[in-house]
Amino acid sequence: MDHLKMELRHWVLSDAKELTNLCNAVNRHYLSDRLPNPYTEKDAEEWMKKVSENEAVSGIYRAIVCDGKLIGSISVEKKDDDAEIGYMLLNEYANKGIATEAVKQVCTIAFKVLSLEQITANVFQPNIASIRVLLNNGFKYKGAITNAVIKDGTVYDLLIYVLTKDNENLARFKNIK
């Protein structure tokens, strides 16, 4: 991670303006359209409400902070019998190991706090950077849903990656607080 100090921290209501700025600045090319565009402070306040109601119950939600600046968001949310990870990071912080470390930390917390057996990640087929982050954290490719996503007029396959709670993976995450 070069010389940058990355940490995951709980969201607080006073983050609403920074979250709004983040969501409007982040590259949305491979993000789900469920993230409103443009993203308003009202959207941020609704997110904060959801986070406060669901933290450690049906999800783990964290701000990604680097050298004191909010630079991304990461969460693991329970969905029926599964849980799904999602994350975003400002472009200028990409390819520095930050997303890889954030995924490692949030998966450790999620397995422990939410008593999960596995975490799933859904990735648009050309998103090589995200695929690399997942593979570096022990996620395994499970398959694809062809032509599953239309984003900005382009049709993409949706690739499915899974991290299971097994001894091999748990050993990777053991030293995280």
Side-chain angles (χ1 to χ4, degrees), residues 19-21 23 34 43 51 59-60 63 67 71-72 78 86 88 112 116 125-126 133 143 153:
L19 176 60
T20 302
N21 293 338
C23 290
R34 76 178 198 183
D43 295 321
V51 166
I60 301 298
D67 292 336
I71 63 160
K78 281 186 172 181
M88 63 180 174
K112 187 186 304 181
L116 302 174
Q125 187 271 322
V133 165

Side-chain angles (χ1 to χ4, degrees), residues 5 7 14 17 50 72 86 137 166 169:
K5 181 182 182 293
E7 67 175 317
S14 59
K17 185 160 183 52
K50 175 184 176 176
N137 276 290
D166 60 27
N169 286 322

